[in-house]
Amino acid sequence: MKSALVCGAGGFIGSHLVTRLREEGYWVRGVDLKAPEYGPVDADDFMIGDLRDPDTVASAIDRHFDEVYQLAADMGGAGYLFTGDNDAEIMHNSAMINLNVLETCYRQTIRSVFYSSSACVYPEHNQVDPQNPLCSEDSVYPAEPDSEYGWEKLFSERLYLNYGRNYDMNVRIARFHNIFGERGTWRGGREKVPAAICRKVAQTADGGEIEIWGDGEQTRSFLHVSECLEGILRLMRSNWAGPVNIGSEEMVTINELAYIVMDVAGKSLRLNHVPGPLGVRGRNSDNRLIHEKLGWKPAENLKSGIGRTYRWIEQQLDGRSRC
Ligand code: NAD
């Protein structure tokens, strides 16, 4: 039986990854500051611990694992990452986690390590035209991410690549583009835009109004978490390190996303555009490289993933109103 460690197993993508690895027959240990908020603890062994602390990391990685998946990060939506108020914390926390986890993997002679980077590494100057953003993997340098979160991801990508090169480790690096789905944060300030819009639409009566940050003409693409897992596992099972985009090429404006959610909900609402933190003006995944190297592209369209996510958020709201 293969064994895996998932760091960040209490989080959105990490908890789904634990479930998927268990389904594939792995023995899985998960570690996180917290247990998954919205789903079961599927791991064979789940440790609550702070990966900024080297002693905690030593206990989490106290044995050999066939594979380590490093998804733990100080993370959030635009309201957390792009205001500037949390930058020192974001960089310090995530860099500490990556330094500790990778060094401990090396000392335990663990060879296969996955690192979750982000589309936030791409230079701001290539993402000013909302209809023509450039996010091919090789466009990342000269570097100019628009957030400190992106700079930390870039630093850590280089850390993983250098451990791979100097210590003969099989590191695999993916740059995720806006992953969404069931069991993702949907309230509280750290939620991402698909969950935030689903929640607002679900909470508003037909004919009402929801708020959208900015003019809503900024573009993004969104990938359902099930597709993301497929991309991660294909990358881990390939002999190619990346970094590679894991995202969707179905680019929409935020206004269009809101209309997709309304369509799924069967509601017609007005959009009230208000000031808010926005991130870059345009961003889309460029999947040419992952398609060439792994033969991978998303299998479903945005609307079907949004449909499942919307219904899940509706259930969360129903559950809360019954409490
Ligand atoms: P998430 O916030 O749900 O999961 C991250 C987990 O890391 C959380 O459960 C958190 O408690 C844990 N964590 C944070 N600090 C920790 C610490 N000191 N010790 C132990 N655990 C700690 O985020 P997610 O959406 O599941 O993202 C997973 C990874 O993918 C992150 O590295 C994130 O930066 C990256 N990523 C995600 C997206 C996305 O759209 N979801 C996009 C790009 C990159």
Side-chain angles (χ1 to χ4, degrees):
M1 186 186 262
K2 273 190 156 185
S3 59
L5 174 73
V6 178
C7 301
F12 166 49
I13 305 172
S15 66
H16 281 277
L17 181 61
V18 168
T19 306
R20 172 80 187 256
L21 290 169
R22 289 292 314 282
E23 283 165 5
E24 298 212 357
Y26 282 70
W27 185 92
V28 183
R29 174 179 289 166
V31 58
D32 201 299
L33 284 173
K34 58 174 180 62
E37 207 170 333
Y38 306 114
V41 175
D42 274 342
D44 296 277
D45 181 25
F46 192 90
M47 262 184 71
I48 299 285
D50 187 337
L51 295 167
R52 290 171 301 184
D53 169 26
D55 292 337
T56 305
V57 177
S59 353
I61 312 179
D62 61 351
R63 47 163 285 179
H64 181 78
F65 287 94
D66 294 305
E67 295 169 3
V68 170
Y69 295 83
Q70 200 321 71
L71 290 96
D74 196 0
M75 182 52 183
Y80 182 72
L81 296 181
F82 301 138
T83 58
D85 296 343
N86 310 301
D87 286 348
E89 215 174 56
I90 288 167
M91 292 199 86
H92 174 265
N93 291 346
S94 296
M96 290 295 285
I97 295 169
N98 284 311
L99 288 162
N100 289 336
V101 169
L102 195 50
E103 175 66 13
T104 312
C105 286
Y106 163 60
R107 289 179 187 276
Q108 286 284 17
T109 61
I110 293 168
R111 291 177 55 79
S112 280
V113 184
F114 172 84
Y115 174 57
S116 52
S117 181
S118 166
C120 290
V121 294
Y122 288 114
E124 186 168 14
H125 58 255
N126 287 337
Q127 301 174 88
V128 288
D129 176 355
Q131 293 309 320
N132 291 296
L134 173 62
C135 293
S136 58
E137 286 80 352
D138 59 2
S139 69
V140 77
Y141 294 110
E144 196 210 352
D146 74 319
S147 66
E148 299 303 327
Y149 167 78
W151 277 107
E152 190 284 326
K153 288 289 188 192
L154 206 51
F155 162 76
S156 290
E157 279 192 5
R158 298 186 71 97
L159 184 73
Y160 280 78
L161 287 171
N162 287 324
Y163 268 67
R165 196 162 49 83
N166 291 163
Y167 301 144
D168 198 22
M169 292 168 75
N170 296 324
V171 299
R172 299 284 179 268
I173 302 172
R175 295 176 182 155
F176 296 157
H177 288 244
N178 296 312
I179 313 303
F180 74 98
E182 306 84 283
R183 286 153 58 175
T185 304
W186 58 279
R187 63 191 153 110
R190 287 194 181 215
E191 65 276 23
K192 307 281 186 49
V193 66
I197 293 182
C198 285
R199 187 198 66 235
K200 290 176 189 179
V201 170
Q203 286 177 316
T204 308
D206 194 17
E209 179 178 285
I210 59 168
E211 286 189 348
I212 299 285
W213 286 348
D215 65 3
E217 291 303 315
Q218 62 274 33
T219 52
R220 293 292 184 277
S221 67
F222 302 94
L223 185 74
H224 190 264
V225 63
S226 56
E227 310 259 24
C228 174
L229 298 183
E230 185 60 34
I232 295 172
L233 295 183
R234 284 204 195 195
L235 180 61
M236 274 303 258
R237 288 161 194 177
S238 77
N239 55 10
W240 179 60
V244 68
N245 292 326
I246 293 187
S248 159
E249 290 183 319
E250 189 183 342
M251 186 172 82
V252 292
T253 66
I254 301 305
N255 291 333
E256 285 166 343
L257 176 68
Y259 286 112
I260 291 174
V261 177
M262 286 181 220
D263 192 19
V264 158
K267 292 182 184 181
S268 174
L269 307 173
R270 288 183 308 282
L271 303 181
N272 177 18
H273 294 103
V274 296
L278 298 177
V280 293
R281 189 68 182 147
R283 176 171 290 157
N284 193 14
S285 186
D286 182 328
N287 288 354
R288 285 173 296 176
L289 188 62
I290 195 164
H291 193 249
E292 179 197 318
K293 298 284 185 187
L294 305 180
W296 179 87
K297 59 179 181 186
E300 67 173 11
N301 65 16
L302 175 60
K303 190 175 171 187
S304 59
I306 287 288
R308 294 201 297 282
T309 307
Y310 180 80
R311 283 187 290 280
W312 179 80
I313 289 178
E314 254 188 340
Q315 282 166 12
Q316 305 307 302
L317 285 163
D318 286 352
R320 272 162 57 82
S321 60
R322 276 198 297 274
C323 291

